[in-house]
Amino acid sequence: MTGSSPLPAPPRDLLVGASLFLDFDGTLVTLADRPEAVEVPEGLHPLLERLGDMLDGRLAIVSGRDVDTLRGRFGLATVPIAGSHGSEISLEEGTIDRPEAPETLIVAGRAFDAIAATDDGLLVERKPLGVCLHYRRAPEREADCRRLAGELAQMHGLHLQDGKMMAELRAGDDHKGSAIRALMQRDPFGGGTPVFLGDDVTDEDGFEAVRDLGGHGILIGEERETAAQYRLADVAAVHHWLEQGIPQ
């Protein structure tokens, strides 16, 4: 992990020859109180298209969101996606490599529903291979939410994934690092140097993976302990840096 020294901004030429992996929430789009309230910035889709062309297809979204939501709700129809923290791989629209979800996720979801019913600030989000309890609008309930998630994970053999103002229970132990490693074994990604941009603690596995593979991690947001080597301040800075990296 990086120590207390401030992280530098990534050099502009870091994209040259890269295999580029991008987190979605908090990296390409600004976080919102409710996951469905996130808005896609104007210009994101053409930016991704230009990046994909520049990198000869070595561009993928690596997100905790599921593939169907990223493609359907947010219009990411053409870019390869590793969704659900790497448990889903979709290299093109209409195809998803995804295991079957265990019944225990349904049971855990009901327990999340029960606590969410006690507080309007709590929100349950269901995914094909996970269930999340968000407390962004009720931060005082953090301890209760994390305690319940930990108990359910232990009881049902689920993986507990911490995140920004949320706790997620997932089937299996895939993560963004394993997703990046898997994609780097496939064409065309294996021909580039891996670069991963992410903001959350869930992205640390990705930072570690690209570092181990000889690449670079870029933290988005405030300084903290991280395996990333570089930092950008926010979503706007991400878009600006990506734009600057495309030859005019």
Side-chain angles (χ1 to χ4, degrees):
M1 290 290 182
T2 299
S4 57
S5 300
L7 292 175
R12 185 179 301 180
D13 63 0
L14 205 65
L15 289 178
V16 177
S19 286
L20 182 60
F21 303 102
L22 300 168
D23 174 46
F24 187 69
D25 293 274
T27 298
L28 292 178
V29 298
T30 302
L31 296 171
D33 287 343
R34 303 175 67 89
E36 67 272 18
V38 164
E39 296 185 359
V40 176
E42 184 178 356
L44 176 59
H45 292 125
L47 171 60
L48 293 177
E49 183 175 350
R50 291 162 58 210
L51 285 167
D53 289 342
M54 181 187 79
L55 297 172
D56 297 323
R58 299 189 308 274
L59 169 69
I61 303 297
V62 181
S63 173
R65 297 234 193 202
D66 63 277
V67 169
D68 289 336
T69 297
L70 290 167
R71 293 216 186 280
R73 166 69 175 83
F74 296 109
L76 301 176
T78 59
V79 63
I81 296 174
S84 296
H85 300 281
S87 295
E88 303 177 299
I89 300 291
S90 175
L91 297 183
E92 59 185 2
E93 188 176 19
T95 64
I96 304 177
D97 181 4
R98 175 169 60 203
E100 191 165 339
E103 290 293 322
T104 49
L105 277 178
I106 298 175
V107 177
R110 290 171 182 157
F112 278 178
D113 288 336
I115 191 174
T118 69
D119 192 322
D120 290 342
L122 301 180
L123 172 70
V124 179
E125 177 190 9
R126 283 176 167 80
K127 304 178 181 180
L129 295 170
V131 59
C132 306
L133 182 59
H134 295 265
Y135 49 86
R136 182 174 299 276
R137 296 190 301 161
E140 70 281 1
R141 300 297 302 274
E142 177 176 3
D144 295 337
C145 294
R146 291 193 178 276
R147 185 182 308 111
L148 174 61
E151 292 172 353
L152 291 170
Q154 186 173 22
M155 185 183 307
H156 298 295
L158 297 170
H159 179 76
L160 174 59
Q161 178 71 68
D162 289 330
K164 284 186 177 179
M165 307 302 288
M166 56 83 75
E168 180 174 356
L169 294 173
R170 298 194 282 111
D173 57 0
D174 291 312
H175 50 69
K176 293 181 180 181
S178 62
I180 289 172
R181 290 180 186 275
L183 288 171
M184 287 295 292
Q185 296 297 314
R186 304 193 187 198
D187 291 330
F189 298 98
T193 300
V195 175
F196 176 51
L197 280 69
D199 70 304
D200 203 348
V201 293
T202 64
D203 298 310
E204 288 300 325
D205 293 311
F207 295 147
E208 292 175 6
V210 295
R211 179 195 62 196
D212 294 345
L213 293 168
H216 311 280
I218 303 173
L219 173 67
I220 313 306
E222 297 181 357
E223 293 274 1
R224 60 171 169 80
E225 286 291 315
T226 180
Q229 300 102 317
Y230 301 102
R231 186 180 75 89
L232 292 167
D234 51 28
V235 170
V238 170
H239 285 238
H240 178 74
W241 183 76
L242 293 173
E243 290 278 4
Q244 292 297 306
I246 301 174
Q248 303 300 315

